[in-house]
Amino acid sequence: MIRVLLADDEDLIRVAVAALLALEPDMEVVAQAADGPTAVTATLAHRPDVAVVDLEMPGLDGIAVAAELTRARPECAVVVLTGHGRPGHLRQALTAGARGFLPKGSPGGALADVIRRVHTGGRYVDPSLAADALTLPPCPLTPRELETLRLAEVGAPVAVIARRVHLSTGTVRNHLSAAVQKLGATDRAEAVRTARDNGWL
């Protein structure tokens, strides 16, 4: 039996997926979680072979869960499910250690097939997302611009960012302004979203 953990903050979806997997003769759902931290704790406690995690969850998102499980329990394969996956998310998930990346709109039996594949050491990436990821433009930002934009993402004021990266406040403002301009954004928040969607942050 393939032991599976399901993590999704939407109860209806999680319960429906558990019911579908229960119909598979070689799978058993051993634990469920409604948020990222619980998914990590439940994986360590129940030791599933495969963890199927939603991309967007409270506490820790699916990418953070994949990274944590890859570190703490590398023998557990992680499959990330997403309702609105972007190519940048795919890149981040694979970098974090996920072995599968699947849209929630996939055919009913697809998830079970992906679980079997990653359980035997394989990988699965949705073909349309993979094709989009291959055509992503390279990041136009310098490493310093990315670093300051990453800190701005969490709402840190310019003075705090400047202290953390050991630059003057004027230089930090220049880096943030350059990032906004290069990404064709109207403000920092939009620049962060663009960089995040493209997998640069």
Side-chain angles (χ1 to χ4, degrees):
M1 293 291 281
I2 303 172
R3 295 165 55 81
V4 180
L5 170 132
L6 293 177
D8 194 310
D9 59 323
E10 296 182 52
D11 288 350
L12 186 61
I13 291 175
R14 190 177 68 250
V15 170
V17 171
L20 281 173
L21 293 181
L23 300 174
E24 301 293 332
D26 57 344
M27 291 182 198
E28 177 187 7
V29 176
V30 296
Q32 296 185 38
D35 59 55
T38 305
V40 173
T41 303
T43 299
L44 297 177
H46 295 275
R47 307 178 67 77
D49 302 307
V50 178
V52 178
V53 301
D54 186 23
L55 178 65
E56 296 178 1
M57 292 186 293
L60 294 171
D61 66 13
I63 292 169
V65 170
E68 181 60 25
L69 294 183
T70 299
R71 183 194 63 76
R73 196 160 185 276
E75 63 273 23
C76 177
V78 179
V79 175
V80 176
L81 287 182
T82 177
H84 15 262
R86 296 183 177 92
H89 293 146
L90 168 60
R91 183 182 293 168
Q92 291 170 338
L94 295 178
T95 300
R99 301 195 59 82
F101 196 88
L102 185 69
K104 287 183 179 178
S106 300
L111 177 58
D113 292 340
V114 171
I115 289 171
R116 290 184 187 99
R117 182 181 295 193
V118 300
H119 177 60
T120 57
R123 291 182 181 271
Y124 179 84
V125 172
D126 176 70
S128 61
L129 280 175
D132 289 345
L134 290 173
T135 60
L136 277 178
C139 180
L141 305 181
T142 67
R144 277 294 198 189
E145 289 163 355
L146 273 174
E147 185 179 19
T148 54
L149 195 60
R150 186 174 289 113
L151 291 170
E153 178 183 19
V154 297
V158 169
V160 171
I161 295 172
R163 280 196 302 275
R164 287 188 186 168
V165 296
H166 308 292
L167 296 172
S168 71
T169 55
T171 301
V172 168
R173 280 194 191 92
N174 288 343
H175 284 321
L176 290 172
S177 176
V180 168
Q181 184 178 10
K182 286 180 181 180
L183 297 179
T186 55
D187 56 24
R188 290 179 201 166
E190 186 182 345
V192 165
R193 280 194 302 276
T194 300
R196 176 71 60 199
D197 288 349
N198 282 285
W200 299 327
L201 279 183

